[in-house]
């Protein structure tokens, strides 16, 4: 099976180089690597001079007018030729067997029921008090799989969410679905919105053997207040646009909103409280805004 890797990036050349080098050290190389760069200046010369591209086709797209992550991913898809397309954040570092482990899941799926596969982040730990409390309010379409996703799992886990920092899909899936380009600038949840749609028609799995680190650089990351606002907006956008309005799903969304409001108060963190409650107020007034440039 041929594999294309797509990496959207913006102003993080050091992290991007480290990510690319981990790809070039894989036991199974991809057929092509597509960089969609929204940086102020082109980094093509840097990448060509510092990476050996002898065995991998290198496609570089530099366009400062691309409006965010979703548009960048769709741009990359339009150039990709692989049977499987792997999306990576520019701040991840793959272990050597990541790609071969991902492809092995697809190769064994003769009926092509599996639409997407993601790996195991080894350096995150969601076992804090706040992380465990947050799991209580995640029900129905909001249910997460953090216990597997971050460090604890083994084998395969069926899921309806894949993490945007490392998620792969069959080309047939991406011919049918596209990322939501209504989401521009810095947004949250675009990977969840996409994978949730796909999960209604294909099986999605996380596989523990495909390991990576996600460095989550502070560059271009929002502060606590904006982060909490984006989280509230994201849940609302997901509910409004992607979730069936059954009684159970309405209950799950209500639990999520009230739970987040309660947890923010319990935290005593001023920035978290302001971010959470300002977002809730804007949603009530019909003035929510998911994206933030």
């Amino acid at each position: 099976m041929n594999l294309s890797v797509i990496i959207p990036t913006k102003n993080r050349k050091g992290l991007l180089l480290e990510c690319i080098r981990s790809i070039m050290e894989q036991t199974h190389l991809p057929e092509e690597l597509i960089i969609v760069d929204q940086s102020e200046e082109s980094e093509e010369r840097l990448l060509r001079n510092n990476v050996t591209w002898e065995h991998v086709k290198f496609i570089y797209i530099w366009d400062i007018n691309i409006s965010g992550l979703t548009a960048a991913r769709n741009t990359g898809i339009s150039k990709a030729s692989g049977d499987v397309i792997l999306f990576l954040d520019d701040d991840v570092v793959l272990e050597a067997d990541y790609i071969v482990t991902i492809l092995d899941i697809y190769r064994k799926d003769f009926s092509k029921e599996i639409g997407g596969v993601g790996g195991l982040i080894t350096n995150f730990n969601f076992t804090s008090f706040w992380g465990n409390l947050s799991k209580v309010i995640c029900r129905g379409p909001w249910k997460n799989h953090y216990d597997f996703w971050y460090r604890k799992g083994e084998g395969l886990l069926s899921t309806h969410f894949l993490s945007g920092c490392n998620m792969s899909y069959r080309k047939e899936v991406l011919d049918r679905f596209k990322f939501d380009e209504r989401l521009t600038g810095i947004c949250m949840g675009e990977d969840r919105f996409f994978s949730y749609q796909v999960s209604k028609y294909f099986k999605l799995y996380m596989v523990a053997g495909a390991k990576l680190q996600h460095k989550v650089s502070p560059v271009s990351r929002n502060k606590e207040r904006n982060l909490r606002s984006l989280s509230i907006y994201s849940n609302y956008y997901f509910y409004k646009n992607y979730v069936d309005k059954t009684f159970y799903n309405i209950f799950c969304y209500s639990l999520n909103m009230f739970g987040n409001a309660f947890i923010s108060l319990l935290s005593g963190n001023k920035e978290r409280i302001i971010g959470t409650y300002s977002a809730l107020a804007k949603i009530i007034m019909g003035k929510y805004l998911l994206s933030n440039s």
Side-chain angles (χ1 to χ4, degrees):
M1 301 185 74
N2 291 335
L3 177 75
S4 300
V5 178
I6 296 174
I7 307 176
T9 188
K10 185 175 182 179
N11 299 328
R12 300 204 283 193
K13 58 185 179 183
L15 288 167
L16 177 62
L17 268 174
E18 188 175 8
C19 175
I20 292 174
R21 284 168 178 155
S22 76
I23 295 170
M24 304 306 287
E25 293 171 357
Q26 292 290 295
T27 55
H28 180 106
L29 291 175
E31 276 61 41
E32 62 186 10
L33 176 56
I34 303 168
I35 304 297
V36 184
D37 192 354
Q38 302 165 75
S39 303
E40 282 88 358
E41 297 181 358
S42 172
E43 304 294 352
E44 182 173 9
R45 179 178 296 180
L46 173 75
L47 297 179
R48 290 195 181 279
N49 290 343
N50 287 275
V51 178
T52 301
W53 297 102
E54 182 179 356
H55 301 294
V56 177
K57 181 180 180 182
F58 177 49
I59 300 174
Y60 181 83
I61 302 164
W62 176 53
D63 188 346
I64 61 175
N65 296 312
I66 293 177
S67 56
L69 182 58
T70 55
R73 285 181 177 146
N74 287 338
T75 298
I77 292 168
S78 70
K79 303 296 184 181
S81 61
D83 304 306
V84 173
I85 298 178
L86 171 63
F87 299 92
L88 297 175
D89 281 0
D90 59 8
D91 55 2
V92 304
V93 176
L94 308 181
E95 293 193 8
D97 290 333
Y98 179 94
I99 286 178
V100 73
T101 303
I102 291 288
L103 287 180
D104 192 50
I105 303 301
Y106 290 107
R107 288 193 183 103
K108 293 177 180 178
D109 176 36
F110 300 108
S111 61
K112 293 189 175 182
E113 295 179 328
I114 298 175
V117 181
L120 178 68
I121 302 169
T122 60
N123 63 316
F124 281 12
N125 187 351
F126 270 62
T127 59
S128 68
F129 171 78
W130 299 114
N132 287 326
L133 189 57
S134 296
K135 293 175 188 177
V136 175
I137 66 173
C138 292
R139 294 287 181 268
W142 286 268
K143 183 178 180 181
N144 60 48
H145 302 277
Y146 288 146
D147 284 343
F148 175 89
W149 201 347
Y150 300 107
R151 197 181 290 171
K152 291 187 178 181
E154 295 295 336
L156 285 175
L157 179 71
S158 178
T159 182
H160 49 250
F161 294 149
L162 293 177
S163 169
C165 78
N166 82 112
M167 58 182 179
S168 67
Y169 295 97
R170 289 189 186 274
K171 186 62 164 60
E172 299 95 304
V173 170
L174 298 167
D175 289 337
R176 182 171 177 177
F177 298 97
K178 291 293 181 286
F179 290 93
D180 189 344
E181 292 192 24
R182 291 173 293 180
L183 310 175
T184 59
I186 300 170
C187 58
M188 178 180 289
E190 81 295 326
D191 49 357
R192 175 175 50 160
F193 308 155
F194 184 84
S195 56
Y196 184 71
Q197 291 183 88
V198 175
S199 72
K200 294 179 180 180
Y201 302 93
F202 297 90
K203 294 180 179 179
L204 302 181
Y205 287 101
M206 297 177 192
V207 55
K211 295 182 172 64
L212 71 154
Q213 290 187 25
H214 189 196
K215 296 200 170 183
V216 192
S217 167
V219 179
S220 298
R221 301 287 180 176
N222 285 1
K223 294 181 179 179
E224 178 74 11
R225 183 184 302 191
N226 285 341
L227 184 65
R228 294 304 161 188
S229 293
L230 287 173
S231 178
I232 296 296
Y233 298 150
S234 173
N235 286 329
Y236 175 68
Y237 190 90
F238 180 50
Y239 171 74
K240 180 181 178 182
N241 293 285
Y242 295 99
V243 175
D244 295 332
K245 306 305 184 291
T246 64
F247 177 82
Y248 179 65
N249 287 344
I250 293 171
F251 166 78
C252 291
Y253 175 67
S254 300
L255 175 64
N256 191 283
M257 290 294 98
F258 283 112
N260 274 302
F262 174 73
I263 290 174
S264 69
L265 284 177
L266 196 63
S267 74
N269 183 315
K270 180 181 176 181
E271 293 298 310
R272 181 172 188 157
I273 293 170
I274 293 173
T276 298
Y277 280 87
S278 63
L280 289 171
K282 289 178 181 178
I283 288 172
I284 292 171
M285 293 186 294
K287 297 181 179 179
Y288 77 97
L289 179 65
L290 182 57
S291 299
N292 185 13
S293 299

